[in-house]
């Protein structure tokens, strides 16, 4: 659910500005787009669906045109 999507920015680091901010925002847009196209199965406790938190880390190689990523929980 994209309404619960947020980035974690270190509290002791200033936000990016200028062109770096634009690159970062494009990166976030790409992640949101990928997330909206993904599907996740609900967690279960026995045979009952239950609330859960999904955390994914992504490793991008920066190659243009390559749809390569690595994700894990």
């Amino acid at each position: 659910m994209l309404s619960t999507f947020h980035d974690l920015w270190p509290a002791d680091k200033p936000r990016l500005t200028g062109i770096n901010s634009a690159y970062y925002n494009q990166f976030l847009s790409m992640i949101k787009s990928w997330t909206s196209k993904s599907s996740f199965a609900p967690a279960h406790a026995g045979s009952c669906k239950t609330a859960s938190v999904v955390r994914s880390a992504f490793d991008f190689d920066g190659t243009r045109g390559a749809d390569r990523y690595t994700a894990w929980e």
Side-chain angles (χ1 to χ4, degrees):
M1 178 179 294
L2 287 179
S3 64
T4 63
F5 181 92
H6 63 279
D7 66 327
L8 300 176
W9 194 267
D12 61 337
K13 303 285 183 193
R15 284 283 184 171
L16 299 173
T17 59
I19 192 70
N20 290 328
S21 177
Y23 289 144
Y24 182 72
N25 289 332
Q26 288 176 353
F27 172 78
L28 289 180
S29 293
M30 181 181 59
I31 296 299
K32 287 180 182 181
S33 175
W34 178 86
T35 303
S36 68
K37 296 173 187 171
S38 300
S39 62
F40 300 94
H44 285 83
S47 62
C48 299
K49 294 178 183 175
T50 184
S52 65
V53 174
V54 175
R55 285 185 164 194
S56 297
F58 301 89
D59 179 23
F60 293 90
D61 70 1
T63 305
R64 284 187 171 255
D67 293 330
R68 295 174 45 194
Y69 64 89
T70 304
W72 62 90
E73 269 187 80

